[in-house]
Amino acid sequence: MEALLEGQVSTVRGAVVDVLFGAGLPAIGDALEVLREDAEPLLIEVQAHLSETAVRCIALAATAGLQRGGRVRSRGGPLQVPVGEAVLGRLLDVSGRVGDKGPALPADIPLRPILRSPPPLAAQSVGRELFATGIKVIDLLTPLVQGGKAAMFGGAGVGKTVLVMELIHAMAERYQGLSVFAGVGERSREGHELLQDMRDSGVLDKTVLVYGQMSEPPGARWRVPLTALSIAEYFRDERRQNVLLLMDNVFRFVQAGAEVSGLLGRLPSRVGYQPTLADEVAALQERIVSVAGVAVTAIEAVYVPADDFTDPAVTALAVHMDSMVVLSRAMAAEGMYPAVDPIASSSIMLDPLVVGQAHVDTAIEVRRSIEHYRSLQDVISLLGVEELGVEDRRIVNRARRLQRFLTQPFTVTEAFTGMPGCSVSVDETLAGCQAILAGKCDDWQESSLYMVGTLDQARAKEQQLREEPSA
């Protein structure tokens, strides 16, 4: 085995640590540990070679109390994290340390490096199996597939985290598969709530939680998605199991990369982002693939700063996605939850070869009706719906009913709304939309279709509303 290099700390500036070596330098991306008498070794990662004897590193934990002259030892390669059955049901940090106050991981647990190349293109397989979520608006307009990548784009407070949590719940019930959740730069409260919800619903034993929270240094937040991805890759490659990889929030990964870039003294690029933005996003996203029929399916929440969808971070992430679920603040303000914008959202999987011709035709017709309604909203605001022509009025009435039918109560919000969550099959979603488009619900009250699951539930609600005045 190659002898491990030893050096000493020469400079500490916040999260940046410079290290001097006598002979030979560790490679860029290698993990080093700063040995400390009164605490565990501090992990740092090599980011640049300053000279023939010096490297610049970024710390993966707080550097408080670090001193010049401290001993540094190379780990002989990139950071390695624990993987395998023993990490299921556990909460880990970026380096694989347990954070749930449970027992320590076994000493003989397998380890995998967080920095790896994606599988060669020839080894990758393309999935065509629909990944039904039970959420009507997603299954209809932005269908997901096994092994695909889907992103939930939205500004602050429009429901990204709630949607991701509902998907975790739906997948655990529907597919009984493994989930790996990466909490990137999220609040401590959200992490605690998710852990508690998973314990209560009994899905924790099929899930790995990996957190790099808002309070942690940028290096930790920057590397957390790669730690989660390495765990997911192990189950895909070694155990031949399908894995659902959830990330909340990938924008924080980009943000942490920008902080690291600034700390290292690199000149910023557009809008202050790091010049390596596209490379960093690609290094993460290109590893999320299916190999030999075993899939890693990714669902990622993406914060959109100031609701600006032209932001470089948002566009860099969007090009890697198969399905784009765009959350609308205007729809959230109207109470249309989930606040998925049916026009802006899209999926390359909305294809007759994948979902069938009837599904595609229904989705196109739903979009066309809602788009036509939106184009008439200014006229309706000024003159009222009565001033529209007969055909326009009919389309507007059906579009409003479609919008309400595509709302849905969630299991994860049951405690706040008092409404039991429901899951709707793709066939029931299509049947409901086709009935509304065909005019079978034209004489129903709009409220009958709001926050229900299937059309049968809406019919029962309509019957109840009709009976109430006479009661």
Side-chain angles (χ1 to χ4, degrees):
M1 183 181 165
E2 186 183 333
L4 298 180
L5 298 168
E6 290 214 3
Q8 62 180 30
V9 175
S10 63
T11 314
V12 181
R13 288 189 308 282
V16 177
V17 181
D18 290 353
V19 182
L20 286 174
F21 287 90
L25 290 179
I28 288 175
D30 276 9
L32 314 177
E33 47 190 25
V34 184
L35 305 177
R36 299 185 285 186
E37 292 177 8
D38 54 345
E40 288 185 17
L42 171 75
L43 281 173
I44 57 179
E45 189 183 279
V46 179
Q47 292 298 320
H49 290 168
L50 300 178
S51 68
E52 292 179 1
T53 57
V55 294
R56 179 157 289 166
C57 309
I58 202 82
L60 301 184
T63 56
L66 206 61
Q67 297 176 333
R68 291 182 65 187
R71 275 184 62 215
V72 178
R73 186 172 60 207
S74 163
R75 282 195 165 190
L79 174 64
Q80 296 208 329
V81 293
V83 295
E85 302 289 336
V87 299
L88 288 172
R90 306 305 301 269
L91 188 149
L92 309 174
D93 70 3
V94 64
S95 61
R97 280 195 295 262
V98 175
D100 55 11
K101 298 182 180 175
L105 296 172
D108 59 348
I109 193 166
L111 302 172
R112 290 289 180 276
I114 65 166
L115 300 179
R116 296 178 64 191
S117 300
L121 201 58
Q124 297 178 20
S125 56
V126 179
R128 283 195 177 177
E129 187 183 340
L130 199 62
F131 197 78
T133 64
I135 299 172
K136 290 181 286 191
V137 67
I138 291 178
D139 287 344
L140 175 70
L141 299 174
T142 63
L144 315 184
V145 291
Q146 292 270 19
K149 291 192 278 280
M152 316 288 168
F153 292 94
V158 293
K160 296 183 299 299
T161 299
V162 169
L163 201 51
V164 168
M165 285 175 68
E166 181 69 15
L167 284 165
I168 293 174
H169 195 273
M171 294 316 144
E173 285 193 345
R174 202 174 271 251
Y175 289 95
Q176 282 85 43
L178 298 178
S179 300
V180 180
F181 180 85
V184 189
E186 290 299 283
R187 303 165 187 85
S188 303
R189 172 186 58 78
E190 290 174 337
H192 178 73
E193 284 175 3
L194 183 64
L195 181 62
Q196 200 57 50
D197 286 346
M198 288 192 161
R199 279 196 179 126
D200 294 344
S201 57
V203 300
L204 187 60
D205 59 340
K206 293 279 186 184
T207 309
V208 187
L209 303 174
V210 189
Y211 270 92
Q213 291 175 268
M214 212 174 251
S215 56
E216 296 189 47
R221 287 179 272 126
W222 189 42
R223 288 313 193 201
V224 152
L226 301 180
T227 299
L229 186 51
S230 296
I231 294 169
E233 286 173 334
Y234 172 83
F235 285 111
R236 179 194 68 192
D237 299 337
E238 311 289 328
R239 299 281 176 168
R240 314 294 299 154
Q241 289 175 288
N242 289 335
V243 184
L244 178 66
L245 177 66
L246 300 123
M247 295 192 200
D248 188 9
N249 184 311
V250 191
F251 176 78
R252 307 283 179 215
F253 158 74
V254 173
Q255 205 172 33
E259 288 178 53
V260 167
S261 182
L263 289 167
L264 295 172
R266 297 179 187 143
L267 286 172
S269 182
R270 267 194 320 151
V271 199
Y273 286 109
Q274 61 270 46
T276 52
L277 171 63
D279 287 348
E280 286 175 17
V281 170
L284 174 67
Q285 301 294 344
E286 295 301 316
R287 284 169 62 184
I288 305 171
V289 292
S290 303
V291 178
V294 189
V296 173
T297 306
I299 295 172
E300 307 172 20
V302 182
Y303 167 67
V304 180
D307 291 339
D308 178 14
F309 284 86
T310 63
D311 187 87
V314 176
T315 53
L317 287 159
V319 296
H320 293 277
M321 298 300 157
D322 301 319
S323 303
M324 289 174 59
V325 180
V326 177
L327 297 169
S328 157
R329 191 171 299 284
M331 291 191 68
E334 289 175 21
M336 299 294 168
Y337 288 106
V340 176
D341 188 327
I343 309 305
S345 303
S346 63
S347 172
I348 62 169
M349 297 305 163
L350 193 62
D351 184 295
L353 296 172
V354 180
V355 296
Q357 190 64 51
H359 186 146
V360 173
D361 291 345
T362 305
I364 289 170
E365 199 56 43
V366 166
R367 275 213 180 100
R368 186 180 290 140
S369 296
I370 294 171
E371 181 68 42
H372 193 79
Y373 167 46
R374 285 189 181 179
S375 70
L376 294 169
Q377 273 182 322
D378 286 347
V379 176
I380 295 167
S381 300
L382 288 168
L383 305 173
V385 76
E386 294 77 17
E387 295 300 317
L388 298 175
V390 175
E391 180 65 21
D392 283 345
R393 205 179 312 162
R394 195 174 77 240
I395 291 171
V396 165
N397 287 338
R398 288 177 186 172
R400 287 177 63 86
R401 283 164 173 76
L402 283 166
Q403 280 191 335
R404 278 149 185 78
F405 180 65
L406 292 176
T407 62
Q408 189 170 341
F410 281 173
T411 305
V412 295
T413 59
E414 203 170 309
F416 311 109
T417 62
M419 288 188 239
C422 59
S423 178
V424 185
S425 71
V426 179
D427 290 340
E428 286 173 323
T429 300
L430 291 175
C433 291
Q434 286 161 359
I436 295 168
L437 288 166
K440 292 179 183 175
C441 309
D442 283 1
D443 59 341
W444 291 16
Q445 295 182 46
E446 288 179 3
S447 57
S448 304
L449 294 154
Y450 179 67
M451 282 292 167
V452 295
T454 63
L455 197 66
D456 288 341
Q457 290 173 347
R459 189 177 285 112
K461 194 173 173 184
E462 171 69 14
Q463 193 68 33
Q464 190 182 348
L465 287 169
R466 285 186 178 182
E467 288 169 2
E468 273 175 8
S470 60

